[in-house]
Amino acid sequence: MQGIEKSYGDLHVLRGVDLDVAPGSIFALLGSNGAGKTTLVKILSTLLRADAGAASIEGFDIATQPADVRGSISLTGQFAAVDEVLTGRENLVLVARLRHLKGAGRIADELLARFQLTDAAGRRVATYSGGMRRRLDIAMSLIGNPPAIFLDEPTTGLDPQSRAEVWSCVKELAEQGTTVLLTTQYLDEAEHLADRIAILHEGRIIANGTLDELKRLLPPATVEYVEKQPTLEEIFLAVIEGAAE
């Protein structure tokens, strides 16, 4: 994409955004609330029209070929778009049928197994944990095998264990060839997952590179011996895993 701009009256949300996401990679768009991350995702997914600039996804122009773009992507928003009245399997079967795919039951069962939800397939989604709902949400977005998926702050509001579950799912997507554009305000999420990271600030990309490249933007660190203490998140996950054994 080149020169993407978007304004609402006098409010300039995007001020000329340039990005290039490599196929099969995880690209993290990092920024605080109000930086313009969700607006950019909506433009790329053809839900909004840019005021200026151009972008293409899988070779399709977002402005002149929106139907082809929508057929090449899937979008998972900040909140899981699942039907709590239905079971996990019923949610997947419903989406497969809406996409007019043959073998909806087989597709559902394969995705349930892929996302470790087989044991919960017959339960109503209202009984699922936050992490399970998000995993189901991502599974639903993969029906039809889109080559690219947009994850807009996928771990917002999740506990540490659920975040770890979602991170594992995202890594698996890229390993199987899916291009992932991930927006997040969590620094550790971008650091843990992304092949490349761009920092969006006040509508502009102010840094873009691998984690190592971004680290080189700062002065070399002073080497000191410090005993590393576990973080609270590490303690939490260890205790939970121990209790499950």
Side-chain angles (χ1 to χ4, degrees), residues 2 4 22 54 56 59 72 97 107 139 143 152 181 194 204 207 224 239:
Q2 291 184 327
I4 296 294
S56 63
S72 302
R97 288 176 176 170
I107 292 170
I143 292 175
D152 189 16
L181 176 61
R204 291 190 175 92
E224 296 179 352
V239 170

Side-chain angles (χ1 to χ4, degrees), residues 8 13 94 96 127 140 167 242:
Y8 298 99
V13 181
L94 175 62
T127 68
M140 290 166 61
W167 287 1

Side-chain angles (χ1 to χ4, degrees), residues 35-201:
K37 304 187 301 299
T38 297
T39 298
L40 182 60
V41 168
K42 287 183 177 179
I43 289 172
L44 294 177
S45 55
T46 73
L47 297 177
L48 280 178
R49 182 175 289 272
D51 297 334
S56 63
I57 298 174
E58 296 295 313
F60 300 116
D61 186 275
I62 62 171
T64 61
Q65 299 169 290
D68 293 312
V69 170
R70 289 193 289 270
S72 302
I73 67 170
S74 188
L75 170 62
T76 298
Q78 296 181 18
F79 304 100
V82 294
D83 190 320
E84 296 186 352
V85 175
L86 300 179
T87 67
R89 189 176 190 275
E90 287 170 343
N91 269 277
L92 292 166
V93 168
L94 175 62
V95 173
R97 288 176 176 170
L98 288 173
R99 289 181 176 266
H100 306 291
L101 299 177
K102 295 181 179 179
R106 173 185 54 80
I107 292 170
D109 291 337
E110 289 175 352
L111 286 169
L112 288 165
R114 179 176 173 182
F115 286 88
Q116 293 82 48
L117 290 169
T118 300
D119 291 344
R123 285 168 42 196
R124 290 177 56 190
V125 174
T127 68
Y128 283 18
S129 68
M132 293 170 68
R133 293 187 193 196
R134 179 54 82 184
R135 279 153 49 204
L136 178 63
D137 193 30
I138 295 174
M140 290 166 61
S141 70
L142 292 180
I143 292 175
N145 297 313
I149 182 171
F150 300 149
L151 301 177
D152 189 16
E153 302 195 15
T155 62
T156 297
L158 297 184
D159 59 70
Q161 186 175 13
S162 297
R163 290 182 72 204
E165 293 173 2
V166 173
W167 287 1
S168 177
C169 291
V170 174
K171 284 185 173 181
E172 184 181 340
L173 292 179
E175 289 170 357
Q176 297 191 5
T178 304
T179 303
V180 179
L181 176 61
L182 167 77
T183 74
T184 183
Q185 56 183 314
Y186 299 130
L187 306 181
D188 59 334
E189 188 157 88
E191 184 173 2
H192 189 82
L193 292 175
D195 299 302
R196 293 186 67 86
I197 301 167
I199 299 175
L200 184 65
H201 180 67

Side-chain angles (χ1 to χ4, degrees), residues 214-234:
L214 295 181
K215 286 180 177 179
R216 288 198 290 270
L217 297 176
L218 299 178
T222 301
V223 178
E224 296 179 352
Y225 174 78
V226 178
E227 182 179 351
K228 184 179 182 297
Q229 297 294 325
T231 65
L232 181 57
E233 182 170 317
E234 290 171 337

